[in-house]
Amino acid sequence: MLSEWIASAVSDLPAFIAGVLIIIVGFVLADFLSDVVAHTESLTDTTYTETFADGLRVFLYFVVTVIGLGTMGVDVRILNTFAQAAAWGVVAGIALAIGIAFGLGGRDYVAANIGDWLPGHSPDTATTSPPDTDATATSVGQTDGGAESSK
């Protein structure tokens, strides 16, 4: 039984060593790249450079660790599942932020121009539309985008 365990350990030793080397070299490269990004603050004049560099470092550590453990033969499906969930969360957050930014940013523009976009309120259709049979009824635009008839 001991000889089988030793034979198994010796056969798995190259994969283990390769995984450890991948992790060590990857961590060194991740530190180097994040330091390069952190030192670009003097070129970009942004205050978020350190935060971005730290985020890049953590991301690269995670990627290198998953690759190294996978090389060693460790099952990393659960880490891939967590990474996929985190990626979907980040994408959903970015989409929500963009939607809110456009919604709040375009609110005043839409409120100012909604009357021109409604049917019957456009300057182009004012000359071509048939006249009202009731001359006293006119359409008045409201601030909420609706129209009411006043007599």
Side-chain angles (χ1 to χ4, degrees):
M1 183 192 278
L2 182 61
S3 63
E4 289 177 17
W5 182 81
I6 291 174
S8 173
V10 168
S11 67
D12 291 339
L13 191 61
F16 179 77
I17 291 172
V20 169
L21 286 175
I22 287 172
I23 290 173
I24 291 171
V25 171
F27 277 25
V28 169
L29 289 176
D31 283 335
F32 173 73
L33 285 175
S34 63
D35 288 341
V36 166
V37 169
H39 288 93
T40 60
E41 182 176 3
S42 61
L43 298 175
T44 60
D45 292 331
T46 59
T47 58
Y48 299 111
T49 307
E50 283 291 328
T51 305
F52 183 73
D54 290 339
L56 179 66
R57 178 179 284 129
V58 169
F59 174 73
L60 291 176
Y61 281 173
F62 179 78
V63 169
V64 166
T65 302
V66 168
I67 292 172
L69 290 175
T71 302
M72 288 181 200
V74 176
D75 188 14
V76 291
R77 285 184 289 180
I78 189 72
L79 295 175
N80 289 332
T81 302
F82 285 136
Q84 186 177 14
W88 278 110
V90 168
V91 168
I94 290 171
L96 185 63
I98 290 172
I100 289 172
F102 276 109
L104 292 177
R107 180 177 53 187
D108 295 334
Y109 176 77
V110 170
N113 296 309
I114 192 72
D116 297 336
W117 300 335
L118 291 174
H121 290 82
S122 176
D124 297 336
T125 60
T127 59
T128 60
S129 64
D132 289 316
T133 56
D134 184 10
T136 59
T138 58
S139 179
V140 178
Q142 295 180 348
T143 57
D144 65 353
E148 68 178 14
S149 178
S150 65
K151 292 188 181 196

